[in-house]
Amino acid sequence: MDITFGDIQETALIPLAIKASETGRKNARIKDVKAKEIIDTLGVDVSKYDPFLSHEGVVARTLMFRNELKRLISQYPDAECINLGCGFDDKFSQVDNGKILWFDIDLPDQIEVRRKVYTDRDRCTMLPGSALDDKWTASIPKKDMTIVIMEGVLEYFQKDQVKTCLNMLCDSFEHGYLLAELHSPFLEKHGKHHDAVRHTNATFGWGTTSGKEYLNLEPRMSLVSETSYNDEMKKYSIRGKIFAIIGKNINNRLAVFKW
Ligand SMILES: C[S@@+](CC[C@H](N)C(=O)[O-])C[C@H]1O[C@@H](n2cnc3c(N)ncnc32)[C@H](O)[C@@H]1O
């Protein structure tokens, strides 16, 4: 299949490649059979997107986002969930409780490619839209609780774009949680050495040392928790343990915000 990706859109191949390769391993920590199927259907070469640290980071974040999302969904079983910048991710099938309403949102060209490998399901709908404007939110029914997931997306935004996105979410949805992947100023500066992203044309945007820095951009939000991926990565390998020490403040984090 002949497919061209935009610079940030191409980064969606990284978690896809890693989830597929982890699924094929003995004692796989995550199972994502759909990821392998997508790679085969699209016929893309993803071999360069699976180096050690990125592999461990994506496995860690997949587990951490899934667990946090399951916890929130058990608290709000009728919530509406929005995977903003969904790429090829299939979180809906990992967390569905039979009631939630789910929307997979990404840029129009990415949704076009996603439609080649996914169809809309009962309560799970794909929509083209940008995290930087609110046009798509008009198609989303208003619910009491909205849970927004931004995994591997805000990392590519400049500070003013992060602000636009946070303001847009609070303006569009009355109450919500945002599960966001945050990265450090170190990665912002040294992103061209990142073991997987350096194989793409994407560059990292505004990095933070704490999710509290987001609150200056959107005072309606509060920070509920913030956890380094090191906490998960160090469980699995000596290299993960060592990175948790030398890379103590530079690994990405899962931050949960509420408004
Ligand atoms: C690294 S991928 C992550 C994909 C997915 N969340 C995952 O974890 O597998 C980044 C995604 O963000 C999407 N993206 C970039 N800019 C965006 C924007 N302004 N609005 C919505 N999505 C965007 C890209 O198209 C891409 O699918």
Side-chain angles (χ1 to χ4, degrees):
M1 216 176 275
D2 195 16
I3 299 165
T4 345
F5 288 97
D7 290 347
I8 310 188
Q9 289 92 319
E10 187 187 358
T11 60
L13 296 175
I14 299 169
L16 182 71
I18 292 169
K19 287 176 211 165
S21 99
E22 177 71 16
T23 302
R25 289 186 185 183
K26 219 169 98 199
N27 304 324
R29 291 159 289 177
I30 51 174
K31 285 269 178 205
D32 191 335
V33 180
K34 182 75 185 172
K36 171 88 176 69
E37 187 193 307
I38 293 172
I39 292 168
D40 292 344
T41 308
L42 297 181
V44 281
D45 174 14
V46 293
S47 49
K48 61 188 178 204
Y49 298 127
D50 189 18
F52 176 79
L53 275 178
S54 282
H55 186 101
E56 292 301 301
V58 167
V59 169
R61 86 177 191 197
T62 304
L63 293 168
M64 290 166 72
F65 271 73
R66 186 193 64 195
N67 294 344
E68 187 58 34
L69 196 49
K70 276 190 169 175
R71 198 186 63 74
L72 281 174
I73 289 172
S74 67
Q75 221 177 320
Y76 301 100
D78 295 309
E80 164 175 271
C81 299
I82 298 173
N83 194 356
L84 187 49
C86 57
F88 296 108
D89 186 69
D90 186 21
K91 231 172 265 322
F92 172 72
S93 66
Q94 296 167 24
V95 301
D96 183 28
N97 64 354
K99 286 165 121 184
I100 48 169
L101 204 54
W102 189 281
F103 294 91
D104 283 312
I105 313 288
D106 208 306
L107 297 170
D109 55 346
Q110 193 76 328
I111 288 294
E112 204 178 300
V113 182
R114 188 178 166 97
R115 285 196 192 282
K116 295 183 197 295
V117 289
Y118 285 99
T119 47
D120 284 344
R121 292 163 266 180
D122 190 24
R123 293 176 293 101
C124 179
T125 309
M126 292 174 273
L127 283 178
S130 169
L132 300 174
D133 70 57
D134 66 359
K135 284 193 206 94
W136 55 277
T137 63
S139 318
I140 307 238
K142 300 290 167 242
K143 290 267 241 168
D144 292 341
M145 179 51 69
T146 304
I147 303 172
V148 180
I149 302 117
M150 296 188 79
E151 191 180 18
V153 184
L154 288 162
E155 291 153 282
Y156 301 100
F157 288 0
Q158 297 306 322
K159 187 173 179 178
D160 61 321
Q161 295 177 309
V162 173
K163 179 173 172 18
T164 301
C165 176
L166 301 182
N167 298 165
M168 179 275 290
L169 291 176
C170 288
D171 287 342
S172 306
F173 304 103
E174 197 176 351
H175 297 293
Y177 282 88
L178 167 66
L179 277 58
E181 176 166 17
L182 307 190
H183 70 291
S184 65
F186 180 88
L187 194 56
E188 176 183 356
K189 267 204 205 99
H190 302 283
K192 58 179 180 304
H193 304 298
H194 186 278
D195 61 353
V197 175
R198 71 189 162 90
H199 296 298
T200 70
N201 291 321
T203 48
F204 287 109
W206 178 55
T208 54
T209 49
S210 161
K212 287 186 188 141
E213 290 169 61
Y214 272 38
L215 308 182
N216 301 326
L217 308 182
E218 178 41 271
R220 285 171 285 185
M221 282 190 173
S222 59
L223 180 63
V224 178
S225 64
E226 187 166 14
T227 317
S228 169
Y229 292 177
N230 284 331
D231 286 15
E232 189 66 32
M233 281 167 68
K234 69 183 179 196
K235 294 180 189 166
Y236 301 109
S237 70
I238 300 283
R239 282 162 82 185
K241 278 194 183 72
I242 295 172
F243 186 70
I245 297 165
I246 56 172
K248 187 167 176 285
N249 297 318
I250 63 174
N251 207 345
N252 290 9
R253 293 110 57 200
L254 163 58
V256 180
F257 298 94
K258 187 182 175 180
W259 73 96

